[in-house]
């Protein structure tokens, strides 16, 4: 932040946000699969999940997303209100960017397949359809197809029940395969206590992490950010020749960033 020129920070082209180091690292990596342990009141849903959901919505218009919870009660009383609060903090307004539990306006984008029931759902302006799936009735979601899976308070999810839903992360390869989020998963939780019958299944995901690839993603993201900054500086100078040249580098490194993710 301190390295950015004052003109850039004050520009209408730049949205100024404050974030700690972990938030910045997660944004730069933006992996297909994210399993994140955070302490209480660390913004798991309102910050990390909400912003990642926005990215997924923009990246896969018309996709189906499942939000999984241990019970509908927990989803409706805790997870969804926090998610809505997070979307509001980041500028999304109910009725303009999304609607819940009802059919969206006809002028909005359409999901890639018809929706017949809008109870326990959220539909976004570009057709992305989000469905709540409860693990006390995992069969309600197992027969559908979803392009991404979200879960909060994951310590309350039982791995055996969750495994029944995983095969439903599928479908529409030709339409969505360009997105790094396609068939991805996002889960957050604070640490589980097995003595309280909480499940620490997320710990098993550590062995799936590819550290070398994560380092490569960060290196590519840093180079991409550098070219984006140079482009903004050229725009401030109204240097159209430099902007045209730098846009090619931004596009090239953006493509590389997506591929390594």
């Amino acid at each position: 932040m301190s390295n950015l020129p004052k003109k850039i920070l004050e520009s209408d082209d730049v949205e100024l946000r404050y974030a700690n180091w972990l938030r910045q690292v997660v944004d730069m990596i933006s992996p297909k699969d994210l399993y994140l342990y955070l302490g209480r009141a660390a913004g798991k849903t309102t910050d990390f999940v909400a912003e990642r959901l926005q990215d997924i919505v923009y990246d896969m218009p018309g996709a189906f997303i499942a939000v999984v919870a241990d019970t509908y009660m927990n989803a409706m009383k805790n997870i969804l209100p926090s998610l809505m609060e997070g979307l509001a903090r980041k500028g999304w307004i109910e009725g303009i960017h999304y609607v819940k539990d009802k059919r969206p306006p006809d002028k909005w984008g359409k999901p890639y397949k018809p929706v017949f029931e809008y109870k326990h759902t959220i539909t976004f302006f570009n057709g992305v359809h989000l469905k709540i799936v409860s693990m006390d009735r995992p069969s309600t979601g197992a027969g559908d197809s979803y392009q991404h899976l979200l879960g909060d308070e994951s310590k309350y999810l039982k791995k055996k029940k969750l495994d029944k839903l995983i095969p439903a992360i599928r479908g529409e390869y030709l339409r969505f395969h360009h997105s790094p989020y396609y068939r991805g998963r996002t889960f957050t939780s604070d640490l589980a206590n097995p003595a309280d019958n909480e499940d620490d299944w997320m710990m098993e995901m550590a062995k799936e992490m590819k550290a070398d690839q994560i380092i490569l993603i960060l290196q590519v993201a840093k180079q991409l950010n550098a070219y984006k900054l140079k482009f903004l500086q050229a725009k401030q100078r109204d240097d159209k020749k430099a902007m045209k040249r730098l846009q090619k580098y931004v596009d090239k490194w953006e493509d590389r960033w997506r591929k390594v993710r």
Side-chain angles (χ1 to χ4, degrees):
M1 180 66 68
S2 60
N3 294 328
L4 292 178
K6 186 177 181 180
K7 281 188 176 182
I8 296 295
L9 295 178
E10 295 175 349
S11 170
D12 292 335
D13 299 319
V14 176
E15 181 181 359
L16 184 60
R17 292 186 182 181
Y18 296 95
N20 59 32
W21 69 269
L22 181 60
R23 170 76 268 169
Q24 295 175 48
V25 169
V26 170
D27 284 345
M28 291 178 74
I29 300 172
S30 295
K32 174 181 176 179
D33 300 315
L34 177 67
Y35 298 90
L36 193 61
Y37 274 115
L38 290 167
R40 291 186 179 276
K44 292 188 293 295
T45 314
T46 57
D47 189 12
F48 289 86
V49 176
E51 188 154 326
R52 188 166 162 87
L53 174 59
Q54 287 183 319
D55 291 341
I56 294 168
V57 168
Y58 279 126
D59 219 40
M60 293 195 294
F64 271 57
I65 301 172
V67 172
V68 61
D70 57 330
T71 64
Y72 277 121
M73 182 67 71
N74 188 29
M76 302 305 292
K77 296 292 185 181
N78 299 310
I79 296 175
L80 280 188
S82 295
L83 187 58
M84 298 301 99
E85 178 187 349
L87 293 177
R89 287 183 185 178
K90 300 175 191 305
W92 282 17
I93 302 169
E94 185 175 354
I96 296 178
H97 296 94
Y98 67 91
V99 294
K100 60 177 186 288
D101 294 328
K102 65 180 182 180
R103 184 182 297 273
D106 290 338
K107 64 181 180 181
W108 283 14
K110 305 299 181 185
Y112 79 89
K113 60 182 179 180
V115 177
F116 299 102
E117 175 61 59
Y118 287 91
K119 186 178 181 181
H120 295 152
T121 68
I122 300 173
T123 307
F124 294 90
F125 60 91
N126 64 355
V128 169
H129 187 75
L130 184 151
K131 180 179 178 181
I132 301 165
V133 178
S134 173
M135 286 294 93
D136 56 2
R137 295 174 61 196
S139 59
T140 60
D144 215 331
S145 296
Y146 309 99
Q147 284 68 60
H148 199 89
L149 179 62
L150 296 170
D152 192 15
E153 301 290 355
S154 300
K155 65 183 182 181
Y156 298 126
L157 302 175
K158 298 302 180 184
K159 186 64 165 56
K160 289 184 178 180
K161 290 186 176 181
L162 191 61
D163 285 342
K164 295 180 180 180
L165 182 62
I166 296 301
I169 312 304
R170 64 191 178 194
E172 290 301 297
Y173 173 81
L174 291 178
R175 187 188 298 260
F176 300 117
H177 76 278
H178 69 279
S179 173
Y181 298 115
Y182 175 64
R183 296 187 67 212
R185 300 155 202 185
T186 303
F187 286 95
T188 61
S189 183
D190 56 353
L191 287 175
N193 184 356
D196 291 334
N197 200 34
E198 297 171 351
D199 200 324
D200 61 354
W201 64 272
M202 268 178 47
M203 286 292 189
E204 300 175 10
M205 297 299 105
K207 66 177 182 290
E208 303 295 334
M209 184 175 66
K210 299 176 181 178
D212 290 343
Q213 187 172 358
I214 290 174
I215 293 172
L216 178 60
I217 294 170
L218 285 170
Q219 292 171 336
V220 173
K222 185 176 180 180
Q223 191 65 48
L224 172 60
N225 285 345
Y227 278 117
K228 284 184 174 180
L229 177 57
K230 290 179 180 179
F231 177 85
L232 287 172
Q233 290 171 328
K235 190 172 184 179
Q236 289 284 329
R237 301 191 306 268
D238 196 27
D239 187 344
K240 291 182 172 56
K241 184 177 180 180
M243 288 170 59
K244 184 177 180 180
R245 174 175 57 84
L246 289 165
Q247 185 63 59
K248 292 180 180 179
Y249 284 105
V250 170
D251 293 343
K252 180 187 295 185
W253 283 93
E254 184 108 38
D255 185 55
R256 290 172 176 172
W257 183 58
R258 296 176 71 88
K259 286 181 179 178
V260 294
R261 288 162 56 211

